[in-house]
Amino acid sequence: MLHTDREREREMESKIEAATGKLVVKKVGGKSTVTRCFSKYPLKFIIPNKVGSSETDAVWVYTLTYGGGIVSGDSISCEITVADACTAVLTTQASTKVYKSLGSKSSEQILEKQIFRVVLDSSLVIVDWITSGRHESGEKWDFELYRSTNHIFLEGDQPLFLDSVLLEQGSITNIAERMQDYQVIAMVILLGG
């Protein structure tokens, strides 16, 4: 199906309206700089003025959620764009907690940052991980569904790395039984030189 420029523009506008966060990093005066920053409840971005040495050209962005985590009914969707020759670190102040959903209200976090488009000389570090829960509260893989997708595309839409993790409660065994004694799933990707 072919889209006109106006249709693509409308599609992007609706994505932006639906997003709870949008961040753009571009070069300004030779330094990586946040040129656009938007967030709305339940998400907040914190961008400190100084992190690390002054010679380091990197923008640090901390994501926070009101209430100390993702609560029943929260839906977070972010779009992060980092321009050529820029460096950005997207992190949280602590691990993001997801609290039990009440009734039919589900909670979700969708990060467009998990789709990466890189050029040949790009460098990229991804650390994507999940823990089994709060052990002291008796939680161990106590959720209905977890899905994490990390895709890296090289110049245009050439797939370089495609990965998906799906943990879903089953009718025969639950997630905790399948995970046995494992408490963490982690993936680390180092790309570039």
Side-chain angles (χ1 to χ4, degrees), residues 58-122:
V59 171
W60 281 71
V61 180
Y62 292 91
T63 62
L64 294 114
T65 53
Y66 295 91
I70 300 172
V71 298
S72 187
D74 282 355
S75 180
I76 298 171
S77 175
C78 297
E79 183 179 331
I80 315 292
T81 302
V82 180
D84 291 347
C86 291
T87 303
V89 177
L90 180 67
T91 188
T92 58
Q93 289 184 313
S95 59
T96 302
K97 289 144 188 81
V98 180
Y99 296 98
K100 278 195 187 258
S101 296
L102 302 174
S104 63
K105 287 185 173 181
S106 66
S107 303
E108 67 180 352
Q109 176 172 282
I110 302 164
L111 297 175
E112 284 290 327
K113 77 178 183 66
Q114 294 183 163
I115 299 171
F116 302 90
R117 299 184 190 285
V118 297
V119 294
L120 278 176
D121 61 349
S122 295

Side-chain angles (χ1 to χ4, degrees), residues 60 82 86-91 113-118 121-129 150-152 160-161 187-193:
W60 281 71
V82 180
C86 291
T87 303
V89 177
L90 180 67
T91 188
K113 77 178 183 66
Q114 294 183 163
I115 299 171
F116 302 90
R117 299 184 190 285
V118 297
D121 61 349
S122 295
S123 295
L124 178 66
V125 176
I126 301 171
V127 179
D128 187 14
W129 65 293
N150 289 285
H151 291 173
I152 303 173
L160 183 62
F161 177 83
M187 180 185 61
V188 177
I189 298 171
L190 305 172
L191 174 70

Side-chain angles (χ1 to χ4, degrees), residues 24-192:
V24 177
V25 177
K26 292 183 178 178
K27 281 283 188 197
V28 175
K31 295 201 63 95
S32 298
T33 306
V34 173
T35 59
R36 181 169 184 197
C37 180
F38 161 80
S39 63
K40 66 182 178 182
Y41 182 85
L43 176 69
K44 183 175 183 177
F45 291 125
I46 294 185
I47 305 163
N49 288 332
K50 188 166 179 120
V51 176
S53 96
S54 60
E55 292 101 38
T56 303
D57 178 30
V59 171
W60 281 71
V61 180
Y62 292 91
T63 62
L64 294 114
T65 53
Y66 295 91
I70 300 172
V71 298
S72 187
D74 282 355
S75 180
I76 298 171
S77 175
C78 297
E79 183 179 331
I80 315 292
T81 302
V82 180
D84 291 347
C86 291
T87 303
V89 177
L90 180 67
T91 188
T92 58
Q93 289 184 313
S95 59
T96 302
K97 289 144 188 81
V98 180
Y99 296 98
K100 278 195 187 258
S101 296
L102 302 174
S104 63
K105 287 185 173 181
S106 66
S107 303
E108 67 180 352
Q109 176 172 282
I110 302 164
L111 297 175
E112 284 290 327
K113 77 178 183 66
Q114 294 183 163
I115 299 171
F116 302 90
R117 299 184 190 285
V118 297
V119 294
L120 278 176
D121 61 349
S122 295
S123 295
L124 178 66
V125 176
I126 301 171
V127 179
D128 187 14
W129 65 293
I130 180 175
T131 65
S132 61
R134 298 173 296 182
H135 301 282
E136 61 281 353
S137 300
E139 296 173 0
K140 183 179 175 188
W141 304 111
D142 187 18
F143 50 84
E144 293 298 314
L145 173 73
Y146 170 80
R147 181 180 300 131
S148 176
T149 303
N150 289 285
H151 291 173
I152 303 173
F153 294 96
L154 182 61
E155 307 214 24
D157 285 329
Q158 179 185 352
L160 183 62
F161 177 83
L162 305 173
D163 178 72
S164 292
V165 173
L166 173 65
L167 299 176
E168 186 173 20
Q169 293 295 4
S171 57
I172 298 171
T173 61
N174 63 34
I175 297 169
E177 291 169 330
R178 290 193 310 267
M179 295 303 294
Q180 299 177 6
D181 290 330
Y182 293 99
Q183 303 302 317
V184 175
I185 294 176
M187 180 185 61
V188 177
I189 298 171
L190 305 172
L191 174 70

